[in-house]
Each structure stands twice: as C-alpha cells, then as structure tokens.
Amino acid sequence: MLLSLPALHLQTSEYHPLFQLPHGRLGPWCSPSGSPAPLSCETGCGEGSWILVCRLLVPTQVSLLSMEEDIDTRKINNSFLRDHSYATEADIISTVEFNHTGELLATGDKGGRVVIFQREQESKNQVHRRGEYNVYSTFQSHEPEFDYLKSLEIEEKINKIRWLPQQNAAYFLLSTNDKTVKLWKVSERDKRPEGYNLKDEEGRLRDPATITTLRVPVLRPMDLMVEATPRRVFANAHTYHINSISVNSDYETYMSADDLRINLWNFEITNQSFNIVDIKPANMEELTEVITAAEFHPHHCNSFVYSSSKGTIRLCDMRASALCDRHSKFFEEPEDPSNRSFFSEIISSISDVKFSHSGRYIMTRDYLTVKVWDLNMENRPIETYQVHDYLRSKLCSLYENDCIFDKFECVWNGSDSVIMTGSYNNFFRMFDRNTKRDVTLEASRENSKPRAILKPRKVCVGGKRRKDEISVDSLDFSKKILHTAWHPSENIIAVAATNNLYIFQDKVN
C-alpha cells in the first residue's frame, strides 16, 4: 500500500533513485512577453526598492472574514489573520503563475484547488493601489484518486499551472497533478436569459397544452459570476509523476513531462499523445538519472529543453527526429574533483529550467546555485549565482531532515535582466545580471503591513554578528520559498510562503 506520509517528509531512502523506486515515484525529482526597459540595480535589486502590496491567503479562510469589520469579502489581503497555525497541508501553495498580460495570477495548492487573483482595475490610475490583486475565481481542479490496478493513491496536489494566451473574453489555463492534465475555461457572466417558452422561470417544463403564446427570450442583467469549466481532460498517459507542463509557441500543442518520458499533446485530442522523449532503460536497475523539468522554446515550436537529476540539460529539435532521445545540444559543467563529496550528485540535480523571454539563454536552478547558459556554448554556464552558499557546511543536517531534496524554482523578469529564486527562512534572492549586484529579501508575516518597504537581509556565517544580520544557525528550514512568479512586463512579483501569497512591487514602479 502507499505510504501515507506528507510529501515534504518522506523517508530519505525514498528520494534517492539509487536506493529504491517505490510506486512510480522516482526519487526527489518526482512531483510536480512584454519588453520593458532593462532594470537597473536601483529598480531591480536596489536596497529598499521593493514594497509589500498585499498579503493574500487561500480562500478557504474567506469565512473567517466576518471576524473583522469593514472588510470587502472579495479581498483576502493584509494581515487580518495573525496566526496561520490552523493552515492544513492542503492549504500549502504548490505553484504560482502570472498570465501573459499580468492582469491575472493563478495559484494551485496541495488540496487540488486553483485560485485566480485579478489585478485591481482602478490601480492603473491610482499609484497607491498599483499592483494590488484580489480574488477573482476559485475552483477545485483535481480530486484525490486511487489507481486500483497499481494500488496507488494519486494526490490532488497541483504541480503546475500554465496559462494560454487570451484569444477572446474567456481565459484558458492548464493545470496538472501527478497524473492528469486539465484544460480549464474561466469566463464571466453578467446576464441571464428569461422568457423561455417550454420552461417556467424556475427551469421546470411547462405543460404544452398551456402554451398559447410565443415569447421571445430576453437577457436580463445579473450580478457578475465567474465560471470555471473543464474543457479537456488529458489522462492515462504517464506512468510516473508529472513534474512539468509547457505550452508550445504554436498554441496548438503542449508537452507534459514525468521522470522518464515527455509526451506531446494536441489541445483538441485527449485520448492520445505522442511520446517524444523516453529515457527508461530496459532494466530499471540500470537507471542512473531522471527528468526533472522541461520547457518549450518561447519562439521556435520545434525546440525544447529538459533537465536531469545529473545536472545536465538537453536541447532537442523535433525536426531532426520524431523521437528525441538523441539531443541536439548537451549542456553540462564539468565537476571540480576537489569539490567532490557524498552530496555532490544530490545538490547538482536541477530542479527547474527556464528559457529567457528572448529565447537566447537558459536558466537552471540546482540546490545551491542559479546558472545562466548561452544556447551557443555548451561546455559551461556564462553566469553562476550562489543562492545560499552558507549552507554548504550544513549539507549533512539538511540531508538528515530531507531539506536537501527541496525543489526550488527560478524566474526571469520581463527584460531578462534580473533573475529571482527562493531560499529558506522565507528568504528570496534577486540577482541583477547587468550590475552583478544581488539582494536577499524576506516574505514575513511580521512585516506584512501594506506599502511596507522590504529591508535587505544578511546571513552571518561565523564570527561576530551584526545587529541587522541573522545567524545561519538561526535559519528556519521549515519556512521556504519554493515558488515565485514575476509579472511579464512590470516590476511586480508574487512569492508563495506556505499558505500565504505575497505581492511585492518596485517602489518606483
């Protein structure tokens, strides 16, 4: 039977692919356009340049709003709930994603819910309300299931959300759990039809003998209603757990990746997919690496990349072969033998890979670093940023408490000049590629007053600690920023911390 343990607290031996492969879960790697002006260090990573716009909580807490007076029930922001000890495992945010315009922000949680926040319309004209987001829609995307053939419980946790470009008044997004991808349509309705001939106003069928006149139905105004309806369900194509989905630039296809295979789907066909990558060995005992993330090129519909647990990245071209087991380019940085240790293989595993908006660069995140690769240079990255190098001496304890298997994500800003990724103690890091300056900021409930300026945080490794520094021994490893998102054209970021979603914006934005 499946071990009923929380996803973040599995036994260590279940994570490493060389130890065991229980129930289709392969080690720690199983899970889950604008062009603004370039950011300077003052607007991107400058000291004190980011302010808190609002703190949002999962809408399961909406009923508690009645505890406060004069609070709009559509707004779940600020710090009206001082203690989140009531938050359950299902409330933890597992993915964050802006849509292509940045007007909507979607989050998924471990309870299978998708919550969509909409930017305040008046914020475009009122500077003091710029960047503020409020609840737009919430719906249950996935339910827990049980595979009776494999005696496997399928979690409802949302692993990834991807938006499709808006073509009409409705919005479309893809959401996935470990096995099933769903296409959702989110639309608004502010009118209702009245005056049916065969039905009364309550929807009951009328007696045809009583119908003596013909009425023309009319549309009457009604309160705005946001509806989320599933349009497609793409299931039964993955043996292992889906960790990535990516929409192709042709907007007709998308791919879903699990630990050993990548499948290509057409949005109109739900009963079949095309396998484009398969790295499963004939003998599973010979398995040495798994797929950790995959993404399509932002402009070329034939190209995509996928990363592996060995710290390698493969660029594939679907024009060369239908089955892309043979890569076009192979990106790998040779390991320094002097730095070789027991943890080298684990910390080199890539947890996220992202194309830049221009399509020229690839960004990867492993446990300790963020690296930027040029598509024209395969032998080493052109930039390497240390996220939390002060944890290198604590890898043993991080291994024992399973934190070493955490999968951090990374994001670009709209102009590809600044990159952001998360760390522990609710810290998140920004690196300015132009000035090479970086900053550490904290998403903290204690400092969650709206418009509050974020002060840079510093970690003290040893010796005498200054007043504004925090000791590395005092870091809380249960608080971690795994999921972040950056507005596609403005300096607005979303940071997920447990069941809290923090929205920050540049002070001069």
Side-chain angles (χ1 to χ4, degrees):
M1 62 180 292
L2 180 70
L3 296 176
S4 57
L5 295 173
L8 297 180
H9 301 283
L10 295 174
Q11 296 296 321
T12 302
S13 59
E14 290 187 27
Y15 280 92
H16 202 285
L18 303 182
F19 293 153
Q20 58 179 343
L21 308 171
H23 304 289
R25 181 180 289 275
L26 298 186
W29 310 283
C30 297
S31 54
S33 77
S35 299
L39 297 179
S40 65
C41 62
E42 287 75 25
T43 59
C45 299
E47 185 170 334
S49 62
W50 291 89
I51 60 176
L52 174 69
V53 177
C54 54
R55 181 172 70 93
L56 308 162
L57 288 91
V58 290
T60 50
Q61 322 304 338
V62 172
S63 60
L64 300 179
L65 285 170
S66 59
M67 299 168 57
E68 296 280 337
E69 298 179 357
D70 301 326
I71 297 182
D72 184 352
T73 56
R74 289 189 71 241
K75 298 181 180 181
I76 312 179
N77 53 10
N78 303 334
S79 301
F80 62 88
L81 295 175
R82 300 297 177 183
D83 182 14
H84 68 285
S85 59
Y86 55 84
T88 64
E89 183 81 7
D91 295 330
I92 296 177
I93 298 173
S94 56
T95 185
V96 184
E97 189 78 11
F98 279 102
N99 73 337
H100 289 72
T101 64
E103 294 301 307
L104 297 181
L105 173 65
T107 66
D109 61 29
K110 291 188 175 183
R113 297 181 296 268
V114 172
V115 183
I116 301 176
F117 300 93
Q118 185 181 45
R119 191 175 186 181
E120 280 290 326
Q121 295 298 321
E122 61 268 27
S123 65
K124 296 179 180 179
N125 300 321
Q126 300 181 25
V127 177
H128 68 282
R129 293 178 64 87
R130 294 194 67 184
E132 197 165 298
Y133 286 76
N134 293 307
V135 174
Y136 177 68
S137 176
T138 176
F139 56 92
Q140 188 73 29
S141 176
H142 288 74
E143 299 282 356
E145 302 175 29
F146 191 83
D147 188 335
Y148 293 95
L149 294 178
K150 299 180 180 178
S151 296
L152 175 66
E153 183 180 353
I154 303 174
E155 296 179 353
E156 65 273 32
K157 171 192 170 187
I158 306 298
N159 291 339
K160 294 290 180 182
I161 291 175
R162 290 291 181 264
W163 289 92
L164 276 68
Q166 187 177 5
Q167 304 293 336
N168 48 42
Y171 302 96
F172 289 87
L173 61 87
L174 289 171
S175 63
T176 183
N177 65 349
D178 286 340
K179 300 292 183 180
T180 304
V181 183
K182 294 184 180 181
L183 175 66
W184 289 89
K185 177 184 178 181
V186 181
S187 56
E188 296 180 354
R189 184 156 60 94
D190 58 358
K191 293 181 176 62
R192 67 172 181 271
E194 292 183 358
Y196 289 106
N197 290 282
L198 301 180
K199 296 181 180 180
D200 60 19
E201 300 305 327
E202 297 181 358
R204 294 172 297 190
L205 291 175
R206 299 171 58 188
D207 184 0
T210 64
I211 301 177
T212 59
T213 59
L214 179 64
R215 296 187 297 176
V216 178
V218 295
L219 294 175
R220 302 292 187 189
M222 59 175 287
D223 293 337
L224 178 65
M225 178 183 298
V226 181
E227 298 176 321
T229 54
R231 299 302 302 272
R232 303 282 190 276
V233 178
F234 307 89
N236 305 319
H238 286 276
T239 303
Y240 302 98
H241 293 183
I242 298 174
N243 55 48
S244 301
I245 52 176
S246 180
V247 179
N248 201 346
S249 59
D250 60 10
Y251 304 128
E252 295 181 359
T253 58
Y254 77 93
M255 69 177 176
S256 56
D258 65 21
D259 302 298
L260 297 180
R261 297 186 179 95
I262 300 177
N263 293 332
L264 182 67
W265 299 83
N266 188 293
F267 281 110
E268 301 299 325
I269 303 174
T270 61
N271 60 354
Q272 63 180 356
S273 62
F274 190 82
N275 181 233
I276 55 177
V277 172
D278 187 349
I279 65 170
K280 182 179 179 180
N283 184 0
M284 285 294 285
E285 294 182 357
E286 300 175 357
L287 180 67
T288 59
E289 63 179 335
V290 294
I291 299 170
T292 57
E295 187 177 62
F296 268 119
H297 192 282
H299 309 304
H300 302 150
C301 62
N302 55 282
S303 300
F304 66 93
V305 296
Y306 68 92
S307 58
S308 80
S309 57
K310 279 191 171 182
T312 61
I313 310 104
R314 292 171 173 85
L315 176 68
C316 299
D317 190 340
M318 291 187 290
R319 298 173 300 182
S321 174
L323 186 62
C324 301
D325 287 348
R326 294 185 178 181
H327 49 267
S328 300
K329 290 190 176 184
F330 183 78
F331 301 86
E332 182 180 23
E333 183 177 23
E335 183 181 7
D336 186 355
S338 62
N339 294 330
R340 179 73 182 176
S341 70
F342 172 80
F343 306 105
S344 296
E345 180 182 347
I346 302 176
I347 64 175
S348 65
S349 173
I350 295 176
S351 57
D352 195 18
V353 59
K354 293 281 178 63
F355 270 108
S356 63
H357 294 85
S358 65
R360 172 67 185 273
Y361 305 101
I362 302 173
M363 174 171 56
T364 61
R365 171 68 203 266
D366 56 41
Y367 189 69
L368 295 178
T369 65
V370 173
K371 298 176 181 178
V372 177
W373 303 76
D374 191 316
L375 285 183
N376 296 327
M377 188 167 70
E378 305 173 47
N379 59 338
R380 60 182 176 86
I382 60 173
E383 301 166 22
T384 300
Y385 301 97
Q386 299 294 333
V387 179
H388 39 216
D389 198 53
Y390 46 79
L391 297 181
R392 193 175 295 273
S393 61
K394 295 188 172 296
L395 292 179
C396 185
S397 58
L398 291 167
Y399 178 82
E400 292 176 351
N401 63 17
D402 290 345
C403 286
I404 200 172
F405 302 109
D406 288 331
K407 295 178 283 293
F408 293 93
E409 297 176 1
C410 53
V411 292
W412 301 88
N413 72 331
S415 60
D416 300 333
S417 60
V418 180
I419 58 182
M420 176 175 61
T421 190
S423 182
Y424 293 104
N425 207 68
N426 279 357
F427 289 168
F428 59 98
R429 303 266 285 145
M430 291 184 180
F431 303 93
D432 193 309
R433 300 181 59 207
N434 296 326
T435 64
K436 304 305 178 184
R437 293 183 59 180
D438 63 85
V439 66
T440 301
L441 302 174
E442 181 181 7
S444 171
R445 292 187 303 115
E446 288 71 20
N447 300 320
S448 56
K449 294 181 181 180
R451 322 310 298 181
I453 298 178
L454 292 186
K455 295 182 179 180
R457 302 301 305 270
K458 295 182 180 180
V459 178
C460 175
V461 178
K464 190 175 182 180
R465 181 172 62 90
R466 296 181 180 179
K467 182 179 180 180
D468 60 341
E469 293 181 339
I470 181 173
S471 171
V472 66
D473 297 321
S474 302
L475 296 177
D476 188 346
F477 294 106
S478 65
K479 297 179 180 179
K480 58 195 75 173
I481 303 296
L482 300 177
H483 313 287
T484 60
W486 201 306
H487 192 285
S489 59
E490 297 184 34
N491 288 341
I492 298 176
I493 59 176
V495 177
T498 59
N499 67 320
N500 295 270
L501 181 67
Y502 295 86
I503 308 293
F504 302 102
Q505 74 176 43
D506 189 355
K507 186 177 180 181
V508 299
N509 190 14

